[in-house]
Amino acid sequence: MKLAATLSSIKPEMDQVERKIKEITSAEPSMISNTSNHLLEAGGKRIRPVFVLLASKFGASKQGDVIEVAVALELIHMASLVHDDVIDRATIRRGRPTVNDRWDNGTAMFTGDFIFARSVELLQQLNEPRLHHVLSHTIHQLTLGEIEQLKDRYLIGQNLFRYFRRIKRKTALLIASSTELGAISSKCNDEEIIQLKKFGYYIGMAYQIIDDILDFTSTEEKLGKPVGSDLLNGHLTLPTILAIQNDDASRSSIEAYFKDPTEYNKGLIKQTIQDISSSPSIDEAYAWSDAYLDRALNALESLPSHPIKKTLRKIAVYLGKRKY
Amino acid sequence: MKLAATLSSIKPEMDQVERKIKEITSAEPSMISNTSNHLLEAGGKRIRPVFVLLASKFGASKQGDVIEVAVALELIHMASLVHDDVIDRATIRRGRPTVNDRWDNGTAMFTGDFIFARSVELLQQLNEPRLHHVLSHTIHQLTLGEIEQLKDRYLIGQNLFRYFRRIKRKTALLIASSTELGAISSKCNDEEIIQLKKFGYYIGMAYQIIDDILDFTSTEEKLGKPVGSDLLNGHLTLPTILAIQNDDASRSSIEAYFKDPTEYNKGLIKQTIQDISSSPSIDEAYAWSDAYLDRALNALESLPSHPIKKTLRKIAVYLGKRKY
């Protein structure tokens, strides 16, 4: 993967992040070690730690809490995924059984609580008050995003504003925090912090939109979960919202499914998922992610000259074109 | 209630705590305001804020974050109750429908996450690093306690050590943190902090044991939930563990129920719940809570002379004799 080559410069630090995540989540009692290890082994792109580390290169200080911040952000992300999977009754993520499937909902809920608690404990070791402030605000927004997502399930008449606000809270703010906190912990100046935060925010928006597109256009093998999971679970993402606006047949079919999301109707909606995946709504959704990507690249341009800018640009373009 | 008279000296501060809890949990989106208000209106004894405020009277400083600490502890407690109720499929708490019953499990899970996130956000405003350290450790232990409780459900061969460790993590540490943090935030000296923490810890142990006894001996009306809920939900508490050790008939009946906790067997176990409620195991459990209460009173004695000692003694005795 091209990304890995781009990231070779931060490999030693990413290894440290990985070790620290393992160390932090491998606590007694054994049940938690089991669920945490299961989650860890499932991997993930570790996008948030990557952005923390890369953003931190802009600052002069090497003394900051960069690794701890990177680990805390990944833990918060992991905890929220575990809880999301309970809501969606998801059985598979990243090609492996979810905690709620392999164990049960209660175990998944408390595993999420535990991982979240560990991230809070890690945070309290950080000295810089701004780190606390940004992170606790982001966690607050993340839980609001979770609640909105739950409330908006099976809700057909959603506008784009609602979708964008939701993905901002659920995804973009956590990635914006990654670049912002990386910058803060390496003592970047205020203007650099602002631009790096902006970069993270726009990348986060583009990243989630593409995630939502791939849920339609990719394969079960690449996704590590069934194609169209979002729509099947009643989550309206950008391609669906656009399809509802653009295409009456899709709209009727989705309406019927949301009224009665039985197994039988699940079969019927799969045709609609396929229809959307080859519809102009996908191109329209890509236009949105491209627009956010452009803004991310603009934010990057306004940063002072630095070798890491090239890496960040590559990652932005890679994420904008990724196929899984 | 006699307790209220004892507490009249901290009424203005308790009102502040109540207002702050309401303010913090009344956020958009409306769904969360609804669930939070529902929880707030259900009330509760607010034991943790009471102990924060009372312990803080030993210190000289009036500038500390006493109210914020009290609110944060109550929020953490509320969040854990909401998640507990999901596990137990509880339909009623404090005489009102639970969040999972009135709404659904997902809403309850995310309401808990939100309240927890708000407590973390509140915490980051506190300046004293020791407050962060104690609280994040307690939260960590609390989630371990939650997981243990889940793991130990329907597990017949539990010893007392396991029970005591579980209630330490689930209850006593949070109450120990209440008195400890009240003391820290009002700048008590180290010896006072240690003794107040001990007092809270022993009271917390006694408090939970009595809670577990009342689950057998009280009435549905006073409990605000069915008598014997713990055993019905597969949780072995002190009276049950002692009854299993003391009485073969109880042991067989519980074993049979745990093997097959159907509605039909639920009917049968109700007789066992009644048997336990009038058995010597209850007296034995009271002996344990009395022993913890004595230790709490001893910790109190070692504190310097102060008018608030009398109040704390009264509360300790009240909690040790409470009937609901």
Side-chain angles (χ1 to χ4, degrees):
Chain A
M1 184 170 86
K2 276 184 194 159
L3 187 64
T6 311
L7 297 177
S8 60
S9 66
I10 54 167
K11 185 161 186 317
E13 287 152 298
M14 284 300 290
D15 288 346
Q16 259 183 285
V17 167
E18 208 65 26
R19 275 199 303 276
K20 184 113 190 163
I21 293 177
K22 196 170 173 62
E23 179 195 315
I24 276 189
T25 54
S26 299
E28 31 81 80
S30 61
M31 188 194 236
I32 262 298
S33 301
N34 293 343
T35 54
S36 301
N37 273 331
H38 179 80
L39 284 170
L40 260 181
E41 283 160 17
K45 300 183 206 74
R46 306 279 190 256
I47 292 290
R48 291 147 196 85
V50 164
F51 279 128
V52 172
L53 294 172
L54 291 175
S56 77
K57 302 297 176 194
F58 279 90
S61 168
K62 306 273 171 253
Q63 310 298 317
D65 304 304
V66 181
I67 301 292
E68 286 71 17
V69 167
V71 171
L73 282 165
E74 189 65 17
L75 290 177
I76 292 164
H77 173 62
M78 280 169 75
S80 84
L81 291 186
V82 178
H83 282 188
D84 280 350
D85 285 343
V86 173
I87 300 294
D88 289 340
R89 298 191 177 83
T91 55
I92 193 158
R93 177 183 285 278
R94 294 169 181 164
R96 291 169 63 95
T98 56
V99 176
N100 47 296
D101 185 63
R102 172 91 165 65
W103 287 271
D104 53 52
N105 283 345
T107 305
M109 185 168 71
F110 287 145
T111 298
D113 287 358
F114 168 78
I115 294 175
F116 190 46
R118 291 300 272 154
S119 74
V120 171
E121 208 172 14
L122 187 65
L123 278 180
Q124 67 85 18
Q125 297 165 16
L126 312 179
N127 292 319
E128 168 67 49
R130 279 174 83 181
L131 300 178
H132 292 255
H133 180 76
V134 171
L135 260 168
S136 62
H137 174 74
T138 305
I139 292 169
H140 174 191
Q141 291 293 316
L142 180 65
T143 61
L144 288 182
E146 283 179 331
I147 291 159
E148 279 173 352
Q149 182 164 309
L150 187 61
K151 197 180 163 190
D152 292 349
R153 262 181 103 181
Y154 299 113
L155 195 71
I156 198 105
Q158 291 181 44
N159 58 22
L160 291 182
F161 168 76
R162 209 177 177 94
Y163 167 77
F164 287 125
R165 189 180 64 182
R166 201 165 62 226
I167 67 169
K168 169 185 162 184
R169 285 176 161 159
K170 283 268 305 173
T171 307
L173 280 179
L174 206 59
I175 297 184
S177 297
S178 304
T179 45
E180 183 182 13
L181 295 172
I184 292 173
S185 50
S186 68
K187 309 258 188 274
C188 285
N189 68 37
D190 283 351
E191 181 55 25
E192 287 164 347
I193 293 172
I194 288 171
Q195 294 306 330
L196 280 164
K197 178 185 178 177
K198 270 192 190 173
F199 172 77
Y201 172 72
Y202 291 131
I203 282 286
M205 293 296 282
Y207 180 79
Q208 187 58 54
I209 292 169
I210 287 170
D211 228 43
D212 294 342
I213 293 171
L214 292 174
D215 197 59
F216 283 92
T217 60
S218 189
T219 63
E220 178 156 352
E221 198 195 342
K222 284 182 180 165
L223 290 169
K225 62 182 178 179
V227 174
S229 289
D230 290 332
L231 184 49
L232 287 169
N233 284 314
H235 300 301
L236 277 90
T237 59
L238 190 53
T240 306
I241 295 172
L242 295 171
I244 286 172
Q245 291 176 355
N246 295 338
D247 176 33
D248 287 344
S250 292
R251 184 189 176 99
S252 316
S253 150
I254 294 167
E255 263 175 353
Y257 175 63
F258 279 11
K259 265 184 204 142
D260 186 23
T262 54
E263 279 306 311
Y264 174 73
N265 284 335
K266 217 174 224 181
L268 298 179
I269 200 75
K270 282 187 179 162
Q271 181 57 47
T272 309
I273 290 169
Q274 214 175 314
D275 293 346
I276 293 176
S277 75
S278 57
S279 76
S281 300
I282 295 295
D283 302 321
E284 212 178 314
Y286 268 121
W288 277 102
S289 71
D290 283 345
Y292 278 112
L293 211 58
D294 280 347
R295 291 191 215 177
L297 294 172
N298 281 341
L300 200 58
E301 284 321 306
S302 68
L303 282 161
S305 173
H306 193 292
I308 214 75
K309 275 174 78 167
K310 202 175 152 190
T311 309
L312 285 173
R313 197 177 304 117
K314 268 193 192 167
I315 292 182
V317 172
Y318 165 80
L319 291 177
K321 307 223 173 300
R322 77 196 161 98
K323 294 281 173 273
Y324 57 94
Chain B
M1 183 171 87
K2 275 184 195 160
L3 187 64
T6 311
L7 297 177
S8 61
S9 66
I10 54 167
K11 183 161 186 317
E13 286 151 299
M14 283 301 290
D15 288 346
Q16 259 183 285
V17 167
E18 209 64 27
R19 274 199 304 277
K20 185 112 191 163
I21 292 178
K22 195 170 172 62
E23 180 196 314
I24 276 189
T25 54
S26 299
E28 32 81 76
S30 61
M31 188 194 236
I32 262 298
S33 301
N34 293 343
T35 54
S36 301
N37 272 331
H38 179 81
L39 284 170
L40 260 181
E41 283 161 16
K45 301 184 205 74
R46 306 279 189 256
I47 293 289
R48 292 148 196 86
V50 163
F51 280 127
V52 173
L53 293 172
L54 291 175
S56 77
K57 303 295 176 195
F58 279 90
S61 168
K62 305 273 173 255
Q63 309 299 318
D65 304 304
V66 181
I67 301 291
E68 286 71 19
V69 166
V71 171
L73 282 165
E74 189 65 17
L75 291 178
I76 292 163
H77 173 62
M78 280 169 75
S80 83
L81 290 186
V82 178
H83 281 188
D84 281 350
D85 285 343
V86 173
I87 299 294
D88 290 339
R89 297 191 178 84
T91 56
I92 193 159
R93 179 184 283 277
R94 295 169 181 163
R96 292 169 62 96
T98 55
V99 176
N100 47 297
D101 186 62
R102 171 93 165 64
W103 286 270
D104 53 53
N105 284 345
T107 305
M109 185 169 70
F110 287 145
T111 297
D113 287 358
F114 168 78
I115 295 175
F116 190 47
R118 291 300 270 154
S119 75
V120 171
E121 208 171 14
L122 187 65
L123 279 180
Q124 67 86 16
Q125 297 165 17
L126 311 178
N127 292 318
E128 168 66 51
R130 279 174 82 179
L131 300 178
H132 291 255
H133 180 76
V134 171
L135 260 169
S136 62
H137 174 73
T138 306
I139 293 169
H140 174 190
Q141 291 293 316
L142 180 65
T143 61
L144 288 182
E146 284 179 332
I147 291 158
E148 279 173 353
Q149 182 163 308
L150 186 62
K151 197 179 162 190
D152 292 350
R153 263 181 102 181
Y154 299 112
L155 196 71
I156 199 104
Q158 290 181 45
N159 58 21
L160 291 182
F161 168 76
R162 207 175 177 96
Y163 167 77
F164 287 125
R165 190 180 63 182
R166 200 166 62 226
I167 68 168
K168 170 185 161 184
R169 286 176 159 159
K170 283 267 307 171
T171 306
L173 279 179
L174 206 58
I175 297 184
S177 298
S178 304
T179 45
E180 183 182 13
L181 295 172
I184 292 174
S185 49
S186 67
K187 310 258 187 274
C188 285
N189 67 40
D190 283 351
E191 181 56 25
E192 287 164 347
I193 293 172
I194 288 171
Q195 294 306 329
L196 281 164
K197 179 186 178 175
K198 271 193 189 171
F199 172 77
Y201 172 71
Y202 291 132
I203 283 286
M205 294 296 282
Y207 181 79
Q208 187 58 54
I209 292 169
I210 287 171
D211 228 45
D212 294 342
I213 293 171
L214 292 175
D215 196 61
F216 284 92
T217 60
S218 189
T219 63
E220 177 156 353
E221 198 195 341
K222 283 182 181 164
L223 290 169
K225 62 182 177 178
V227 174
S229 290
D230 290 331
L231 183 48
L232 287 169
N233 285 313
H235 300 301
L236 276 91
T237 60
L238 188 54
T240 307
I241 294 172
L242 294 171
I244 287 172
Q245 291 176 355
N246 295 338
D247 177 33
D248 287 344
S250 292
R251 183 187 177 99
S252 317
S253 150
I254 294 166
E255 263 174 354
Y257 174 62
F258 280 9
K259 264 183 203 143
D260 187 22
T262 54
E263 279 306 311
Y264 175 74
N265 284 336
K266 218 173 223 182
L268 297 180
I269 200 74
K270 281 186 180 162
Q271 182 57 48
T272 309
I273 290 169
Q274 215 175 314
D275 293 346
I276 294 175
S277 75
S278 58
S279 76
S281 300
I282 295 294
D283 303 322
E284 212 179 314
Y286 267 121
W288 276 102
S289 71
D290 283 346
Y292 278 112
L293 212 57
D294 280 347
R295 290 191 216 177
L297 294 172
N298 282 341
L300 200 57
E301 283 322 305
S302 68
L303 281 160
S305 172
H306 192 292
I308 214 75
K309 277 175 77 166
K310 201 175 152 191
T311 309
L312 284 174
R313 197 178 303 116
K314 269 192 191 167
I315 292 182
V317 173
Y318 164 81
L319 291 177
K321 305 224 174 301
R322 75 197 162 99
K323 293 282 172 274
Y324 58 93

